[in-house]
Amino acid sequence: MDKKDTNDSANLLDRRGFLAASAGTLAFLAMGRFPGAARTVHAASSPHTLPALPYAENALEPVITANTLGFHYGKHHKGYVDNLKKLVAGTQYADMSLEEIISKTEGQDKKSAIFNNAAQIWNHTFYWNSMKPDGGGEPPAALKQKMQASFGSVESCKKELFDAAVSQFGSGWAWLVQDGESLKAVKTANADVPLTSGMKPLITIDVWEHAYYLDYQNRRGDYVTAVIDKLINWEFALQNAA
Ligand code: MN3
């Protein structure tokens, strides 16, 4: 990992008041829990590289099949990287980190293609890390406390995350975020990311149809339930909340 890049990126995030959702991610990945973690860290903030998956394409079966993951990562996620590379070539954005591109293009109609592709790269990398083989189950005690303080119980937290995911009309994302001292379940449309509202993402679930249609067809609720119960990486959420 290039320390200078990481520091620059963290400083920029702080200056923007983003409170380093990525810094939490970086800290977690830097702990080396995933093979190839360092590669993921560096690539996650680069607009030019498809970050490595933190596990094999078949590692989330049977909840998410290798078929779905292969298309989702290899075609969709890669497609956003290929698009962004072309869109930023020779522009002021070419040498910026992904987070910087997102912050500078957010809300600007003329830059929406750049924003959409940059945010989708960020969102997908965050989504892959929001899951792990044999995930779900009991959250770590420190996260459990935060969930109980904000939602009343772990079950209520999961239910609000589920509700956000199934009620998002059309394409988008469901998120567990930290907003100030509270945790919240929120949804965003299309490529939108809670970073731009000053909230710190802890976990995300992709609810674009391409995330589940090959495995679940129209049954988004079944996909979301299975992800929450069997794949969600609560340790990743806790690291992001730190
Ligand atoms: Mn997707």
Side-chain angles (χ1 to χ4, degrees):
M1 172 169 56
D2 183 328
K3 277 187 181 154
K4 183 174 178 304
D5 282 359
T6 306
N7 289 339
D8 286 353
S9 172
N11 290 340
L12 283 163
L13 285 166
D14 287 346
R15 275 208 297 280
R16 293 287 304 179
F18 283 172
L19 268 186
S22 287
T25 310
L26 296 177
F28 177 70
L29 293 171
M31 292 168 75
R33 294 196 189 186
F34 303 135
R39 201 162 25 125
T40 306
V41 170
H42 182 72
S45 64
S46 164
H48 305 294
T49 316
L50 179 66
L53 273 178
Y55 33 70
E57 285 187 0
N58 64 357
L60 304 183
E61 291 192 333
V63 178
I64 296 175
T65 61
N67 191 27
T68 289
L69 203 48
F71 274 103
H72 198 174
Y73 174 71
K75 303 289 184 195
H76 293 274
H77 194 175
K78 181 176 184 297
Y80 297 124
V81 175
D82 292 344
N83 288 341
L84 186 65
K85 272 198 276 197
K86 287 181 203 150
L87 288 165
V88 302
T91 74
Q92 60 177 310
Y93 305 106
D95 296 322
M96 292 181 188
S97 70
L98 207 46
E99 293 85 352
E100 201 178 355
I101 295 172
I102 291 168
S103 75
K104 288 187 186 299
T105 56
E106 194 260 335
Q108 297 184 48
D109 284 350
K110 288 181 182 165
K111 304 294 181 196
S112 62
I114 293 176
F115 172 82
N116 285 336
N117 283 282
Q120 284 293 79
I121 298 168
W122 196 96
N123 292 347
H124 280 88
T125 303
F126 200 77
Y127 169 61
W128 306 132
N129 287 300
S130 294
M131 301 183 289
K132 65 174 189 178
D134 298 318
E138 191 82 353
L143 181 63
K144 204 171 164 179
Q145 280 179 1
K146 288 173 186 281
M147 289 172 165
Q148 287 165 339
S150 296
F151 297 98
S153 68
V154 172
E155 283 314 306
S156 298
C157 173
K158 289 188 201 171
K159 181 167 187 317
E160 290 204 24
L161 182 60
F162 173 87
D163 289 345
V166 296
S167 65
Q168 170 55 35
F169 185 77
S171 297
W173 300 82
W175 306 81
L176 182 64
V177 299
Q178 185 165 320
D179 187 13
E181 290 302 304
S182 311
L183 304 192
K184 290 179 181 167
V186 300
K187 56 194 175 187
T188 59
N190 300 317
D192 286 351
V193 54
L195 286 175
T196 56
S197 313
M199 294 185 282
K200 195 195 284 190
L202 307 187
I203 284 286
T204 194
I205 302 175
D206 189 342
V207 296
W208 285 56
E209 281 188 345
H210 66 228
Y212 59 88
Y213 213 85
L214 295 176
D215 297 334
Y216 296 85
Q217 291 76 50
N218 62 324
R219 291 175 287 115
R220 185 192 287 186
D222 291 352
Y223 152 76
V224 172
T225 297
V227 167
I228 293 173
D229 288 348
K230 295 174 181 166
L231 296 181
I232 214 89
N233 186 344
W234 294 128
E235 288 78 17
F236 180 68
L238 179 59
Q239 289 297 326
N240 289 319

